[in-house]
Every structure is written in C-alpha cells, then in structure tokens.
Amino acid sequence: MSNKYKPGTPINGSDYLLLNIDGGNKCDDGTDNGFNKGNNQQSITHRRHHKMTTQTERELMSHFESLDFNEIDNILHRKYTFEKKKYQKILKTLGKWVICTLIGVVVGLVCYCLKESVDQLQSLKLTQVEKFYSTRSTIFVPFLVYLGFNLCYGLISSLLVCIFGPMSSSSGLPEVKGYLNGIRIAKAFNLKTVLGKLVSLIFSFSSGLVLGPEGPMFHIGAGIGSSMSQFKSKTLKFHLKSFWIFQNDSDKRDFISCGAAAGIAAAFGAPIGGVLFCLEEGSSFWSRQLTWRTFFSCLIATMTANLFLQGFAQQIHDYGVLTFGVSKAYLYTYTELIPFMIMGIIGGLLGAIFVHLNVRVNHWRKKLFANKSKVHRLLEVCVIVIVTSTICFFPALLADCRPVSGISGLTPGTCDPGDDTTLILNQFNCEEGYYNPMATLTLTTLENSLQIVFSRSTNIFTPLTLLAFSIFYYTLTIITSGLYVASGIFIPMMLIGSSWGRLIGIFLSKHFTSIDPSIYALIGASSMMAGSLRMTISLVVIIVELTETTQYLLPVILSVMVGKWCGDIFNESVYEHLIELKHIPYLNSQPPNHLRKKTVAEAMSTDVKTLPEIVRVKTVLTMLETCPHNGFPVVMLPHLHSNSNFNDSNNNLILLNLNNINNNNININNINNNNNNNNNNNNNNDNNNILCGLVLRNQLSILLRRKLFSSPDDLKNIDLTSDKGYNLPINHSEFSQELASKIPNIHEISKSITKEELDMYIDLRPYMNFAVVSIKNYSSLSEAYQIFRQVGLRHMVVINVFNNVVGMLTRKDLC
C-alpha cells in the first residue's frame, strides 16, 4: 500500500501548514472550498449535517448578534474575586434558588390561568352551539354560531400578535433554542411579548384551530425566567442596578432554561420531562447545578398548577393531564414488538413528510406576506379558521350514530380507571342514548379528544372514523402551524399519532383477542412525535409521566427510537428547519459535513481591526464610528512587558497579577507609532501584532462615556505591577452595571468628548479580556467549531504560527 502524500493547493503562499485539506477540489454542488458563496438555490429541507449556507443567508444572519456567555477575565474582575467575601457567594447562591422558586410559582399560575380561560371560552362556545342546535330549525344556524365564535377567537388572537409583535406568534421554540445557543434575539423575552403570546394562545387554542399550548408555554416560561431574574424591563422602563450580579448573559441563560423547562412541566404535568426536554431540545450549555435548580423550578410549577386546577381540598392523585391506567390482565407480548417497530417506521415517515410539507408551507407563507400589510395575515387566519370549522362540523353530520350502551367497559383487571368513567361523548345529531363518534373527536378540545382516544374502553370508534379524523387533522396541522397566532404542535401530533395507532390496534384486535387498542394509541402518539420533533429521552419520560404507564416503557422507547431514526434519514426536526427559515445562526452539536475538510484560514474573516494596549481616544472613537465589529483584539506593545530581549520565550506571555512586583516603563513615542497599525493580514513575524487580549465594543463605549482617559504624563506614572498598588478608576461592580444598562449610541457619546480629550489615551490593560480564546489559522475548522460551540464563544481570534493576529471567527463563519 502506498503512503505517498499528495499536498493540496496552498491557501496563502507556500507554507505547508496552510494547505487545503481537500486538495482544492470542488464540493459536490460545484462551490469552491466548501462554502456556498453564490446565490444558488439550496433545498429548504435537508438531512442532518448536510446544510449548505448561501451568501444571501449569511447576509441575513448578520442581523443577529451573539451573546457574551464567558466571563471577562480582566484586572477589574480579578480584583473583585480576590476581595469577594464568603457571605457574598452564599447570598448569590441563595438568590438563585429564590429566583428559581418564584419562576416556578409564576409559571404554574400562568398555566392555571391558561387552562381555566380556555375551558371557559370553550364552554361558552359549545353551550351556545348546543342551544341553537336544540331548536332544530336548520343545521346551518348552529354552524354559523360555531363558526362565528371560532372566527371571533381567531381574529382576537391574530390581532393581539399584530399589536404585541411577531414574536408573540407561533410556538417561539426556535427563538428560545437560538438564545440558549448563544444568539441575541431582539424582543424575544420582553414582558410585552410574553403577555401577547399568553393572551393570543388563550384565544387561538379556543378557536377550534388544530394547535396546542405546550410549545408556546416553553416560550412563555422562558420569558418569565428572563423577566424575573434580570430585575429590569424595557416595557415597564425600570432597572434595579443593585441586582447587577445576576444581570449577565450567562446567568440569564440559566434562568431562561429554568423557566422554559417549567413551562413544559406545567403544561404536560411532567416535571422530569420538562427538565429533560430543556436539556435535550432547548439548552446548548448545561451543568450539574443547573440540572438541580431546573428540576426544582419544574416541580414548583407543576405543583402550583395542580393545586389550583384540582383544588386545595383534593388529595393529590397524580400530575398527569391524561390517566392511562394500569392493566393487570394484559401487558404485551414480545411478538408485539414487531408491530410496535413497524408503527415507529410509520411515525418516522409521516413525521418526515410533515416536516417537509410544513416547512415549505411556511417558506411560501414568508415569501407571500413579506411586503404585505398585516391585514393579509388576518385574512389568512380567517380562511384557515373557516376551513377548520367546516371540516370539524360537517363530516360529523355524515357519521353514523352509535349507542352508548355498545361501548365495552374497561379491560378486566384495570386499575386506576381515571377518566374512563366520565367519557365526554357528544350527542351531536343523534337520538337520546346515542352519540356521534366523529363529533366526539372534532367538536371538543384537543385534550378531551386525546383522553377519549387513549381510553381503555373499546368499541368507541369505527376504523373509518379514526382514518378520516387522522387524515383531516394531519392536513390541518400542516397548514395551521406557522399561522399568525400563538400555536404549538405537541398535542396535535400526539392526537394524530394516537388516532392511527388506535386504528392499527383495532385492526389487529380482530385477529388477536388479547390486543388492547389503547396501547397502540400510546405507541402511535410516541412514534408520531418522534418522527416530527425528533425527541428521544424527554419524549419517553413525558409520555410516561403524562399517562402513568411505566409498564409500557420498552415499547415506547422502541417506537421513539425507530421513529427518530426513520425521520433522520430524510430531514431534520421541524424546529431546526424553522430556525434555518428564520435565518438564526444556530450551531448544532456537530459541525456540517463540508466543514470537516476545511481549515480555519478558509473560513475566517480577515477584516479584523486591532487596538494596542494603550490607544488614543481619537483612534477608538473613529474605529467605533466606522467599524460595525463587536470585538477587537488587543495587540501587544512589547516595551510594556519586558526590558529584556523580546525573543525570550519566557516573556511572550502576559503575567498581569496584582501581586507581581516588576517595573514597566511606558514609552509614549512607541505608543504613538502603534496607534495606526490596524492591518492584520500579515503572516510575518511582527512583534507589534501579537495577541494579548480582547476588548468588546460595549466596553469601549463605556470607557468613552465615563471618560476614563489618561494624559501622557499620567501614563508615565502608571505601574500595574507595583507593590504600592494602582487605583483603578472604576471597579468591577460599576463596570458590570454599565454593561447591563442600555449603552447610548456611539454618535451620542462622541458629542460629549472635547477636542482636547481626543488627544488623550485609554489604557485598555485593566479592562481587556486576558482569557481570549485563539486558534491557529492552519487548524481544522471542525475543531474550531467544536471549541466555539462547547465553550460558548462570541469571538475566536485567529493567529498565525508567529502568534500574530490574522483574522477572526464568529458564528456566522461557522454556519
């Protein structure tokens, strides 16, 4: 076997370190070096890790900014850490637990208000429809009443989105995932958005549309976690700066995770499932401490919701919305694992088709309404409400009535019958003692329909009823998800899957007498959600907590895994495709395949601007006014670090420790010579371009706003390493409060700076981040992706073999 090495095309010069890994070959789609820089059309859906971003999409991604999850390691922070007392650490830890408790209580109350409001609105609507139907005048009168209520609720829901903003529409789960991944999404968690989504969800869920509340509750919980933890609100215009210790992106991210998980837990009545859902589907960064605090918030939220829903006088029975019951007479046989596996395949295929069609409907919807007024959005909601109401109402007229006495009782030996003793059967268009099976599913809430489909009572539905219902609701869910109302797809997917699953159970029960169709409804719901949402562990736990069916854990796990694997063959989950449709620069846990063949030099941005450690005010002001960048590498001024030979390897690192005793002499002439050195595309050994830190745009704006300037005479007296100490002009708490506050525009700041101050200097050494993450330009891009994703970076400075700054990596370069 030959071991001959065939080099690729050098990216820059003849350095073997910068060889193109794939030999300069073009990708399968014809683009050079793996990056789709042209405007060629890409597929809207794709398989996992096969996304290719176009230049147009990159430009749209540039509107999003990244978050600063990493703590700034500078002299201010080191001084604060050194002087921090033990009681301050205890107070911060205690404060986090108090905030998590409050988040759980508020989310639980919100869930209670949501369910009670929906029940009242639904009761009002169905009572009026039944009153007009009882007159027996004409069938169109009750339909017009039914349609009128649905249109009224739907319009109110959509109008609220128009008033409170587009962030109040849909589920909001892509936005939450994007934020927890490290992307700042404007107005995603402000109080206005949360209130708008909550009230819009109440009316949309009552309007007869095929949607659920669980996805929006994830967003609402995240918004509550954000609002309650930061002690500030743009909507209410207040900011309590005394709580600055929690007002950073890292702590805010953790509280948003707690709130989002609590929202799912309260909606499903599944505290463990809420934690796992946030861990699996929501958060990109997790820790053991966050796990415990999130679980505590979920527990408080679930308990609060159930206390108000069940009443304080009732004994706490369970936390599940659905009570499936446990059968002692029948479990399942190992031979039934085969049909369970086949159902997983069906769920995966149907889920992949749903993702394919729904994403394309939303893409078409986005292009159609791009330049049109919100009136067209309202008209779309009206059309979908009319179609849904028609499909739900008139097929029920064609359904055959069935006698209530024909319903078989519970499976013998079933414990904990739950809601089976009080099945809500609809007598629509039937005589006394009879019920309408189609109306029982369509003319009620989705939760009631789900309870009936999961019922252990048999002979409730005919196969034709379940088949027609599955097709109707599958189609309606495709076109409804993405409407200009608050909506989710959890419950619709479960209802569709349980319907065709029960249909399969009925078919098999004709040949095998021991078959329980309700178990097949459970497996169908699991596989359908796995096929569309691609959830695994969290889905299994939510199903188990929701239905109290630990004895069916194995078939549920089997169907979920098979459903996910089948769906992954064709595309990614619906939420990941919606993230791409919104052009959110989301970084998955693994890099796309085309990045694995590239080096950092091929993806980095070379238009990087640097600043010396001591810089003129005029230089900083000009750079902020002319450059939109948010991070600026700070390069070394060699004479500030050692009086010995600079090439000594022991002197190449910055050792700024408050206790070190060395003597630095500042040469103003050398500083002036370095202030104009901003060209960083130099691969030669340049001592004036060696990385030593990073400073953010907001930090520079604060320094300019606070006028933390020094004159040349002041600089000569500054010695950061003197044993006599150095009086910092600002402390860590004050600087952190400034960062957490709204920072004025740079043009407003520049008006307050005089001409004399423009010639003064800013010493960046106390403020720049020493722990800046850098990578060599010849490193593998996939390794850079992993570091960027796992550490939660906003900027990654690219250096060459001589440690000179040559570029910058941001998340847009890695998408």
Side-chain angles (χ1 to χ4, degrees), residues 283-395:
S283 296
S284 299
F285 307 95
W286 204 259
S287 64
R288 185 172 60 181
Q289 295 82 0
L290 181 59
T291 303
W292 183 231
R293 284 197 293 267
T294 304
F295 177 72
F296 184 72
S297 294
C298 291
L299 182 64
I300 295 296
T302 308
M303 185 172 64
T304 302
N306 277 273
L307 282 176
F308 282 91
L309 287 171
Q310 297 179 359
F312 291 91
Q314 297 292 327
Q315 292 183 348
I316 297 179
H317 170 63
D318 63 81
Y319 292 111
V321 177
L322 306 173
T323 304
F324 193 68
V326 181
S327 175
K328 293 181 179 179
Y330 172 70
L331 293 173
Y332 61 91
T333 61
Y334 284 107
T335 55
E336 286 186 84
L337 294 178
I338 297 175
F340 291 158
M341 189 179 299
I342 295 174
M343 291 176 68
I345 296 174
I346 296 173
L349 293 175
L350 291 176
I353 294 172
F354 169 81
V355 172
H356 182 86
L357 295 176
N358 179 253
V359 172
R360 274 160 172 75
V361 167
N362 281 303
H363 182 263
W364 169 82
R365 184 179 278 144
K366 185 177 180 180
K367 291 176 61 177
L368 181 65
F369 298 114
N371 299 316
K372 295 183 179 179
S373 65
K374 295 179 180 179
V375 175
H376 295 84
R377 290 280 198 175
L378 294 173
L379 291 175
E380 184 199 17
V381 172
C382 291
V383 171
I384 300 299
V385 169
I386 293 173
V387 171
T388 303
S389 300
T390 303
I391 291 177
C392 289
F393 192 89
F394 284 105

Side-chain angles (χ1 to χ4, degrees), residues 332-467:
Y332 61 91
T333 61
Y334 284 107
T335 55
E336 286 186 84
L337 294 178
I338 297 175
F340 291 158
M341 189 179 299
I342 295 174
M343 291 176 68
I345 296 174
I346 296 173
L349 293 175
L350 291 176
I353 294 172
F354 169 81
V355 172
H356 182 86
L357 295 176
N358 179 253
V359 172
R360 274 160 172 75
V361 167
N362 281 303
H363 182 263
W364 169 82
R365 184 179 278 144
K366 185 177 180 180
K367 291 176 61 177
L368 181 65
F369 298 114
N371 299 316
K372 295 183 179 179
S373 65
K374 295 179 180 179
V375 175
H376 295 84
R377 290 280 198 175
L378 294 173
L379 291 175
E380 184 199 17
V381 172
C382 291
V383 171
I384 300 299
V385 169
I386 293 173
V387 171
T388 303
S389 300
T390 303
I391 291 177
C392 289
F393 192 89
F394 284 105
L397 296 175
L398 304 176
D400 294 331
C401 296
R402 297 171 65 84
V404 177
S405 58
I407 299 178
S408 302
L410 299 174
T411 304
T414 299
C415 302
D416 195 7
D419 291 331
D420 276 8
T421 56
T422 57
L423 287 176
I424 303 176
L425 302 175
N426 199 323
Q427 193 187 339
F428 180 77
N429 200 34
C430 295
E431 300 291 338
E432 188 68 29
Y434 288 78
Y435 72 98
N436 189 315
M438 181 62 77
T440 300
L441 291 174
T442 58
L443 298 180
T444 185
T445 64
L446 295 187
E447 290 185 352
N448 289 338
S449 300
L450 196 58
Q451 289 177 349
I452 296 171
V453 175
F454 272 107
S455 171
R456 284 197 180 277
S457 299
T458 58
N459 201 28
I460 303 177
F461 305 107
T462 62
L464 182 61
T465 300
L466 292 173
L467 178 62

Side-chain angles (χ1 to χ4, degrees), residues 607-612 615-633 674-680 695 697 700 704 746-747 764:
D607 183 28
V608 58
K609 306 297 182 183
T610 64
L611 293 171
V615 60
R616 281 183 182 272
V617 174
K618 182 178 181 180
T619 303
V620 175
L621 196 60
T622 302
M623 185 170 290
L624 295 182
E625 288 178 335
T626 59
C627 177
H629 297 172
N630 284 287
F632 302 91
N674 285 280
N675 271 327
N676 296 321
N677 183 19
N678 292 320
N679 184 6
N680 303 291
V695 64
R697 186 183 192 90
L700 294 174
L704 292 173
I746 187 62
H747 298 290
L764 299 178

Side-chain angles (χ1 to χ4, degrees), residues 761-798:
Y761 296 87
I762 299 178
D763 188 355
L764 299 178
R765 291 176 295 174
Y767 315 105
M768 67 180 181
N769 187 3
F770 300 145
V772 55
V773 178
S774 62
I775 193 168
K776 294 292 193 294
N777 58 345
Y778 51 82
S779 300
S780 168
L781 189 57
S782 62
E783 290 301 315
Y785 184 102
Q786 294 286 6
I787 296 172
F788 199 101
R789 169 68 163 72
Q790 292 175 10
V791 180
L793 298 177
R794 183 177 184 179
H795 305 94
M796 180 182 284
V797 183
V798 182

